Amino acid sequence: MRPGVLLPALAGALLVVFVALAGRTTAATGLALLVVAVTCAAVVLQGDPARRAERVVVASLLLWVAVPVTRLPSSLPLRVVLAGSVALGVAALLGPGRLRLPTGNPLVLGLFAVLLAATLGSPDSGAGTRLAVSAVAALVPFCYAAQLDERGRATVAASVVVLAVVEGLLALLEPLVFPGPLWVSALVDADGTPMPFGNELLGAGSTRSQGTFGHPLPLGLLLLIGISLLVKGPLLVSARVRAVLLLPLVGGLVMAGARASLALGVLVLVLWAGRRPGPLRLYAAAALVASSVALALSAAGDAVSDAAGSGSYTHRVGALVAVQALLSHQGLAEVLLGNGFGSVGRLTAEGLLHNDGLTAVDNQYVSLLAQAGLVGLALLLGALLLALTGGRPGLRPAVWCCAVTMMLFDVFTWPPAVALLMLVLGLSLTPERVERPASPAPRRDDRSTAGVHVPMVL
């Protein structure tokens, strides 16, 4: 792999390590300002649209993934990252070249338009600000992914993989290096008191790693996307390097206690790691997943022996049960267009969503049905279906992982997670550039006896 492709990825790795070790608001704000200032200057001075888009996408990824803006006690880093992302998007438009939008852009833009319309008419305070944060985090990398050429896609993929590897290493070291959660506790009770977040994969006494995300589920999404891009993506690395890079990614999933994400990672490795996927790989994947689950249950003991009664399981089943109430106990406008981006807490209090002490739905499809109605849900499903059926084949494992992960937590409420999701969709929905072969040069027919040379079409 060329040094030009790896340089942004290595810079991002250093930034993640710096944020993790340096601490809190001051370090995060300084990092965000540095990334914004340097990248804006580099974008404005770049005349090639593909290189400008490459720098914008990588910088947006670094801002939203490396800086845990929603997990810090101060809102200053969030404001800096939000304004910086907008500044990057504007800076990329200053140079020559036309912005080309992805194939699925009307679907995604329509989804956020529905969310905006529903949110403007909702009584939930602060919902507009939260929607603005998620929209900027999502749409900047999504739209500019269409400007990337092959080198740009490789650079972005390398940046995602290296960030995932660094986060995986942090997850492995987190219980040893940091005495408590890196930012704030990922699990609190109803009155805000931090609660132990046990790692059921490793058994009693172990806690789940969070990385710089402040929660293990968004961390698991990044690690899954990193695995997917390694086994079937635009990166050109040897099998030995790929195997070495996969170790911290899989190990990070174990330390994060992400059981479903770990099973997804095993499926990706079995189904797509080889050159020719087929029925035998599917059977092997099912056997490996079943063996992994049995081993996890055996190793964890009583903590997960009764999975059907665990809070994680019942909470997600409750989210699915709430679909009936959302469709039958609301007006036509709410069913079609939803209640707005910040309506989950209100709908939970009204009994339309499952209430077991957690304000999160932990199912993006159900929460989107509540927030953007059937129209918004159909737009998201349409974009996913288009990416899976007509998108780039090398991105399909990552799209599958994103689609399944949205059944585990509310991806849109986490800016890093929605940025990763929309980056994957943007890369996948960008059509292949088909180079037309040059027409063969006309040949003269020397057998002509009329003195006229007739071109032969071969």
mmCIF file of all heavy atoms in Angstrom, residues 358-382:
data_model
loop_
_atom_site.group_PDB
_atom_site.id
_atom_site.type_symbol
_atom_site.label_atom_id
_atom_site.label_comp_id
_atom_site.label_asym_id
_atom_site.label_seq_id
_atom_site.Cartn_x
_atom_site.Cartn_y
_atom_site.Cartn_z
ATOM 1 N N LEU A 358 -34.914 2.057 30.804
ATOM 2 C CA LEU A 358 -33.972 2.591 29.826
ATOM 3 C C LEU A 358 -34.705 3.499 28.854
ATOM 4 O O LEU A 358 -35.783 3.154 28.366
ATOM 5 C CB LEU A 358 -33.292 1.452 29.054
ATOM 6 C CG LEU A 358 -32.403 0.513 29.875
ATOM 7 C CD1 LEU A 358 -31.884 -0.606 28.982
ATOM 8 C CD2 LEU A 358 -31.254 1.255 30.519
ATOM 9 N N THR A 359 -34.127 4.655 28.588
ATOM 10 C CA THR A 359 -34.760 5.604 27.670
ATOM 11 C C THR A 359 -34.448 5.287 26.216
ATOM 12 O O THR A 359 -35.101 5.811 25.327
ATOM 13 C CB THR A 359 -34.304 7.031 27.979
ATOM 14 O OG1 THR A 359 -32.866 7.091 27.907
ATOM 15 C CG2 THR A 359 -34.764 7.456 29.367
ATOM 16 N N ALA A 360 -33.464 4.444 25.962
ATOM 17 C CA ALA A 360 -33.103 4.091 24.594
ATOM 18 C C ALA A 360 -33.968 2.936 24.101
ATOM 19 O O ALA A 360 -34.301 2.023 24.859
ATOM 20 C CB ALA A 360 -31.626 3.706 24.515
ATOM 21 N N VAL A 361 -34.321 2.987 22.830
ATOM 22 C CA VAL A 361 -35.093 1.899 22.238
ATOM 23 C C VAL A 361 -34.194 0.711 21.940
ATOM 24 O O VAL A 361 -34.600 -0.446 22.035
ATOM 25 C CB VAL A 361 -35.786 2.387 20.945
ATOM 26 C CG1 VAL A 361 -36.576 1.266 20.285
ATOM 27 C CG2 VAL A 361 -36.697 3.559 21.246
ATOM 28 N N ASP A 362 -32.924 0.980 21.570
ATOM 29 C CA ASP A 362 -31.946 -0.048 21.197
ATOM 30 C C ASP A 362 -32.387 -0.831 19.972
ATOM 31 O O ASP A 362 -32.097 -2.017 19.842
ATOM 32 C CB ASP A 362 -31.651 -0.989 22.367
ATOM 33 C CG ASP A 362 -30.660 -0.390 23.354
ATOM 34 O OD1 ASP A 362 -29.932 0.530 22.952
ATOM 35 O OD2 ASP A 362 -30.619 -0.823 24.515
ATOM 36 N N ASN A 363 -33.091 -0.172 19.083
ATOM 37 C CA ASN A 363 -33.424 -0.711 17.765
ATOM 38 C C ASN A 363 -33.673 0.488 16.861
ATOM 39 O O ASN A 363 -34.681 1.180 17.007
ATOM 40 C CB ASN A 363 -34.657 -1.608 17.827
ATOM 41 C CG ASN A 363 -34.921 -2.316 16.507
ATOM 42 O OD1 ASN A 363 -34.920 -1.717 15.438
ATOM 43 N ND2 ASN A 363 -35.144 -3.626 16.585
ATOM 44 N N GLN A 364 -32.743 0.734 15.954
ATOM 45 C CA GLN A 364 -32.834 1.934 15.137
ATOM 46 C C GLN A 364 -34.067 1.928 14.240
ATOM 47 O O GLN A 364 -34.654 2.977 13.979
ATOM 48 C CB GLN A 364 -31.571 2.077 14.274
ATOM 49 C CG GLN A 364 -31.539 3.328 13.404
ATOM 50 C CD GLN A 364 -31.689 4.590 14.220
ATOM 51 O OE1 GLN A 364 -30.883 4.869 15.094
ATOM 52 N NE2 GLN A 364 -32.725 5.368 13.958
ATOM 53 N N TYR A 365 -34.475 0.772 13.787
ATOM 54 C CA TYR A 365 -35.647 0.706 12.919
ATOM 55 C C TYR A 365 -36.918 1.096 13.676
ATOM 56 O O TYR A 365 -37.768 1.822 13.153
ATOM 57 C CB TYR A 365 -35.790 -0.695 12.333
ATOM 58 C CG TYR A 365 -34.593 -1.132 11.532
ATOM 59 C CD1 TYR A 365 -33.719 -2.109 12.017
ATOM 60 C CD2 TYR A 365 -34.314 -0.566 10.293
ATOM 61 C CE1 TYR A 365 -32.620 -2.515 11.289
ATOM 62 C CE2 TYR A 365 -33.206 -0.955 9.560
ATOM 63 C CZ TYR A 365 -32.363 -1.934 10.066
ATOM 64 O OH TYR A 365 -31.256 -2.313 9.343
ATOM 65 N N VAL A 366 -37.042 0.619 14.914
ATOM 66 C CA VAL A 366 -38.220 0.959 15.709
ATOM 67 C C VAL A 366 -38.184 2.426 16.108
ATOM 68 O O VAL A 366 -39.200 3.135 16.040
ATOM 69 C CB VAL A 366 -38.317 0.056 16.953
ATOM 70 C CG1 VAL A 366 -39.508 0.453 17.822
ATOM 71 C CG2 VAL A 366 -38.437 -1.406 16.545
ATOM 72 N N SER A 367 -37.017 2.910 16.532
ATOM 73 C CA SER A 367 -36.922 4.321 16.909
ATOM 74 C C SER A 367 -37.159 5.227 15.706
ATOM 75 O O SER A 367 -37.763 6.299 15.825
ATOM 76 C CB SER A 367 -35.560 4.614 17.540
ATOM 77 O OG SER A 367 -34.515 4.402 16.608
ATOM 78 N N LEU A 368 -36.723 4.810 14.509
ATOM 79 C CA LEU A 368 -36.980 5.616 13.315
ATOM 80 C C LEU A 368 -38.461 5.597 12.952
ATOM 81 O O LEU A 368 -38.999 6.601 12.479
ATOM 82 C CB LEU A 368 -36.141 5.100 12.149
ATOM 83 C CG LEU A 368 -36.102 6.003 10.912
ATOM 84 C CD1 LEU A 368 -35.515 7.360 11.258
ATOM 85 C CD2 LEU A 368 -35.299 5.355 9.796
ATOM 86 N N LEU A 369 -39.118 4.475 13.180
ATOM 87 C CA LEU A 369 -40.564 4.420 12.970
ATOM 88 C C LEU A 369 -41.273 5.414 13.880
ATOM 89 O O LEU A 369 -42.235 6.070 13.472
ATOM 90 C CB LEU A 369 -41.074 3.006 13.232
ATOM 91 C CG LEU A 369 -42.595 2.785 13.145
ATOM 92 C CD1 LEU A 369 -43.099 3.085 11.735
ATOM 93 C CD2 LEU A 369 -42.950 1.361 13.560
ATOM 94 N N ALA A 370 -40.790 5.554 15.111
ATOM 95 C CA ALA A 370 -41.378 6.517 16.038
ATOM 96 C C ALA A 370 -41.033 7.948 15.658
ATOM 97 O O ALA A 370 -41.860 8.849 15.801
ATOM 98 C CB ALA A 370 -40.899 6.221 17.460
ATOM 99 N N GLN A 371 -39.824 8.182 15.147
ATOM 100 C CA GLN A 371 -39.361 9.537 14.884
ATOM 101 C C GLN A 371 -39.720 10.044 13.491
ATOM 102 O O GLN A 371 -40.021 11.223 13.328
ATOM 103 C CB GLN A 371 -37.842 9.588 15.069
ATOM 104 C CG GLN A 371 -37.390 9.319 16.489
ATOM 105 C CD GLN A 371 -35.891 9.084 16.576
ATOM 106 O OE1 GLN A 371 -35.234 8.759 15.589
ATOM 107 N NE2 GLN A 371 -35.338 9.233 17.758
ATOM 108 N N ALA A 372 -39.653 9.171 12.483
ATOM 109 C CA ALA A 372 -39.893 9.594 11.092
ATOM 110 C C ALA A 372 -41.007 8.814 10.421
ATOM 111 O O ALA A 372 -41.241 9.006 9.223
ATOM 112 C CB ALA A 372 -38.604 9.461 10.279
ATOM 113 N N GLY A 373 -41.696 7.949 11.138
ATOM 114 C CA GLY A 373 -42.846 7.246 10.604
ATOM 115 C C GLY A 373 -42.499 6.222 9.541
ATOM 116 O O GLY A 373 -41.323 5.897 9.297
ATOM 117 N N LEU A 374 -43.531 5.717 8.914
ATOM 118 C CA LEU A 374 -43.354 4.711 7.878
ATOM 119 C C LEU A 374 -42.589 5.255 6.682
ATOM 120 O O LEU A 374 -41.833 4.530 6.030
ATOM 121 C CB LEU A 374 -44.719 4.190 7.424
ATOM 122 C CG LEU A 374 -45.473 3.297 8.415
ATOM 123 C CD1 LEU A 374 -46.876 3.022 7.900
ATOM 124 C CD2 LEU A 374 -44.721 1.996 8.658
ATOM 125 N N VAL A 375 -42.758 6.542 6.380
ATOM 126 C CA VAL A 375 -42.053 7.135 5.238
ATOM 127 C C VAL A 375 -40.546 7.148 5.484
ATOM 128 O O VAL A 375 -39.749 6.731 4.628
ATOM 129 C CB VAL A 375 -42.574 8.555 4.970
ATOM 130 C CG1 VAL A 375 -41.751 9.230 3.870
ATOM 131 C CG2 VAL A 375 -44.047 8.512 4.575
ATOM 132 N N GLY A 376 -40.131 7.624 6.662
ATOM 133 C CA GLY A 376 -38.706 7.647 6.975
ATOM 134 C C GLY A 376 -38.103 6.263 7.033
ATOM 135 O O GLY A 376 -36.985 6.033 6.543
ATOM 136 N N LEU A 377 -38.835 5.310 7.617
ATOM 137 C CA LEU A 377 -38.330 3.942 7.684
ATOM 138 C C LEU A 377 -38.185 3.353 6.289
ATOM 139 O O LEU A 377 -37.195 2.667 5.991
ATOM 140 C CB LEU A 377 -39.279 3.091 8.528
ATOM 141 C CG LEU A 377 -38.897 1.624 8.713
ATOM 142 C CD1 LEU A 377 -37.536 1.491 9.384
ATOM 143 C CD2 LEU A 377 -39.965 0.882 9.520
ATOM 144 N N ALA A 378 -39.145 3.614 5.413
ATOM 145 C CA ALA A 378 -39.067 3.098 4.045
ATOM 146 C C ALA A 378 -37.873 3.696 3.297
ATOM 147 O O ALA A 378 -37.210 3.004 2.511
ATOM 148 C CB ALA A 378 -40.369 3.401 3.302
ATOM 149 N N LEU A 379 -37.569 4.968 3.529
ATOM 150 C CA LEU A 379 -36.426 5.594 2.867
ATOM 151 C C LEU A 379 -35.107 4.966 3.317
ATOM 152 O O LEU A 379 -34.218 4.709 2.500
ATOM 153 C CB LEU A 379 -36.422 7.096 3.158
ATOM 154 C CG LEU A 379 -37.541 7.904 2.474
ATOM 155 C CD1 LEU A 379 -37.589 9.319 3.020
ATOM 156 C CD2 LEU A 379 -37.356 7.915 0.958
ATOM 157 N N LEU A 380 -34.977 4.712 4.618
ATOM 158 C CA LEU A 380 -33.750 4.068 5.104
ATOM 159 C C LEU A 380 -33.632 2.655 4.555
ATOM 160 O O LEU A 380 -32.552 2.243 4.089
ATOM 161 C CB LEU A 380 -33.753 4.043 6.633
ATOM 162 C CG LEU A 380 -32.566 3.298 7.269
ATOM 163 C CD1 LEU A 380 -31.252 3.972 6.915
ATOM 164 C CD2 LEU A 380 -32.727 3.193 8.774
ATOM 165 N N LEU A 381 -34.714 1.888 4.594
ATOM 166 C CA LEU A 381 -34.672 0.530 4.068
ATOM 167 C C LEU A 381 -34.386 0.527 2.569
ATOM 168 O O LEU A 381 -33.676 -0.360 2.064
ATOM 169 C CB LEU A 381 -35.994 -0.177 4.357
ATOM 170 C CG LEU A 381 -36.297 -0.466 5.831
ATOM 171 C CD1 LEU A 381 -37.678 -1.083 5.978
ATOM 172 C CD2 LEU A 381 -35.238 -1.385 6.438
ATOM 173 N N GLY A 382 -34.903 1.515 1.853
ATOM 174 C CA GLY A 382 -34.616 1.611 0.426
ATOM 175 C C GLY A 382 -33.142 1.857 0.150
ATOM 176 O O GLY A 382 -32.565 1.254 -0.768
#
